[in-house]
């Protein structure tokens, strides 16, 4: 009798230990591609930070999924999504990508502006064609925010290598306007100590929408829980969490 009881206790003990020897299977980890462009995505003290990574992490936490974030130049990031090398990303909606991506959730909107120096405001679109106000419009190399401006033969344009060059040239009157995005121009001008030198918020030309985007269904290795992610993104937007992230990096004071 004692032997039978001993065997039962031994079996129970082994059953209790069994979970310790079962290999742990990690949950699927999804690949998130982010633009590498401050303040939207950058590395600081060895950690990935910025507006887009912070939003991605918040969505992942809300949706209870694991993500691995990769920072990439804009064009490469877009290609990663279109080719299925990443599972999802956040960037501006572009009709050129409609056949290769699905748009999951609109997250925030930015303004394309013409920024001018303090004391030389543009009050209407007519002012763009007024020689006394606009002689040369600077724009960032590789961007196409507003092709109707860049392709207009009546306007003189100048290609810029980065925001720092554009803002410094505008401040020194070497260009008379800077074609740019409002949030980024404000952020970069603050870094340079030039925020008060320009006519913010500038002349608004159009808006661009930042969407959570995924490759067309079936083009990635992982089965992304799209509805779960969509619901998480919408909840964060409704609760104002995405606006909080934007203000964390773009606050004006």
């Amino acid at each position: 009798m004692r032997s039978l009881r001993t065997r039962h206790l031994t079996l129970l003990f082994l059953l209790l230990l069994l979970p310790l020897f079962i290999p742990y299977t990690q949950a699927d980890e999804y690949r998130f591609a982010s633009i590498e462009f401050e303040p939207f995505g950058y590395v600081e003290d060895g950690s990935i930070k910025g507006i887009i990574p912070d939003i991605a992490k918040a969505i992942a936490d809300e949706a209870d999924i694991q993500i691995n974030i990769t920072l990439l130049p804009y064009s490469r990031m877009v290609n990663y999504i279109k080719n299925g090398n990443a599972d999802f990303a956040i960037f501006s909606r572009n009709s050129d990508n409609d056949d290769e991506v699905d748009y999951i959730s609109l997250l925030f909107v930015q303004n394309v502006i013409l920024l001018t120096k303090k004391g030389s405001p543009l009050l209407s679109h007519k002012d763009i064609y007024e020689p006394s106000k606009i002689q040369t419009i600077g724009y960032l190399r590789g961007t196409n925010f507003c092709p109707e401006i860049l392709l207009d033969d009546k306007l003189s344009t100048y290609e810029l290598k980065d925001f720092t060059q554009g803002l410094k040239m505008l401040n020194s009157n070497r260009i008379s306007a800077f074609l740019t995005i409002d949030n980024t121009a404000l952020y970069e001008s603050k870094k340079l100590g030039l925020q008060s030198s320009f006519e913010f918020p500038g002349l608004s030309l159009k808006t661009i929408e930042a969407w959570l985007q995924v490759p067309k269904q079936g083009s990635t290795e992982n089965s992304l829980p799209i509805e779960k992610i969509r619901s998480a993104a919408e909840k964060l937007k409704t609760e104002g969490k995405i606006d909080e992230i934007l203000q964390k990096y773009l606050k004006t004071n």
Side-chain angles (χ1 to χ4, degrees):
M1 188 74 176
R2 180 177 300 176
S3 176
L4 180 61
R5 182 181 179 187
T6 300
R7 285 200 297 270
H8 284 167
L9 290 174
T10 301
L11 179 61
L12 178 61
F13 179 71
L14 291 174
L15 288 174
L16 291 173
L17 286 178
L18 188 60
L20 299 178
F21 298 97
I22 296 176
Y24 172 70
T25 303
Q26 187 176 12
D28 287 337
E29 187 174 68
Y30 300 100
R31 302 162 298 180
F32 182 88
S34 170
I35 185 173
E36 186 172 15
F37 185 80
E38 194 174 347
F40 293 95
Y42 59 96
V43 175
E44 183 178 88
D45 299 328
S47 299
I48 294 178
K49 298 182 178 180
I51 293 170
I52 300 302
D54 280 12
I55 292 176
K57 291 172 188 175
I59 292 173
D61 288 345
E62 183 65 35
D64 193 25
I65 62 173
Q66 301 294 319
I67 62 172
N68 184 284
I69 300 174
T70 301
L71 297 181
L72 298 165
Y74 181 80
S75 59
R76 191 175 172 196
M77 174 197 66
V78 174
N79 285 332
Y80 260 50
I81 286 296
K82 292 166 69 172
N83 298 333
N85 292 322
D87 296 304
F88 61 123
I90 298 168
F91 57 99
S92 57
R93 183 165 185 163
N94 187 330
S95 59
D96 291 343
N97 302 329
D98 286 354
D99 292 337
E100 294 161 293
V101 304
D102 287 324
Y103 304 99
I104 301 305
S105 178
L106 171 60
L107 298 178
F108 60 92
V109 174
Q110 299 184 95
N111 292 304
V112 178
I113 63 170
L114 273 178
L115 184 64
T116 53
K117 194 172 179 182
K118 198 75 170 179
S120 303
L122 298 176
L123 303 178
S124 72
H125 283 62
K126 291 182 180 179
D127 286 348
I128 300 173
Y129 297 93
E130 179 57 54
S132 63
K133 293 180 178 289
I134 298 292
Q135 296 83 47
T136 305
I137 296 173
Y139 69 97
L140 290 180
R141 179 185 303 151
T143 60
N144 195 24
F145 300 136
C146 203
E148 53 269 39
I149 293 290
L150 299 181
L151 298 176
D152 193 329
D153 293 337
K154 301 184 185 70
L155 300 171
S156 173
T157 59
Y158 183 88
E159 187 180 73
L160 303 160
K161 65 178 183 179
D162 55 34
F163 269 94
T164 297
Q165 181 189 20
L167 293 170
K168 287 184 175 181
M169 287 184 67
L170 182 59
N171 189 51
S172 61
N173 298 314
R174 294 172 61 195
I175 56 174
S176 43
F178 187 6
L179 178 64
T180 185
I181 302 295
D182 56 353
N183 287 338
T184 312
L186 179 59
Y187 179 87
E188 293 291 336
S189 67
K190 287 169 60 179
K191 282 175 57 180
L192 294 171
L194 294 175
Q195 180 181 349
S196 61
S197 300
F198 306 120
E199 284 287 350
F200 283 107
L203 177 66
S204 180
L205 301 176
K206 64 192 294 188
T207 59
I208 54 175
E209 299 176 341
W211 282 75
L212 180 64
Q213 303 179 39
V214 301
K216 286 291 185 182
Q217 277 296 90
S219 60
T220 64
E221 297 175 0
N222 294 329
S223 178
L224 193 69
I226 289 179
E227 289 307 318
K228 194 175 181 182
I229 291 172
R230 189 199 313 271
S231 297
E234 292 296 326
K235 181 180 179 183
L236 292 171
K237 187 168 60 173
T238 300
E239 293 177 349
K241 299 293 179 59
I242 291 177
D243 284 338
E244 288 178 11
I245 292 171
L246 289 167
Q247 287 304 310
K248 170 183 172 182
Y249 292 93
L250 302 170
K251 56 187 177 183
T252 57
N253 49 27

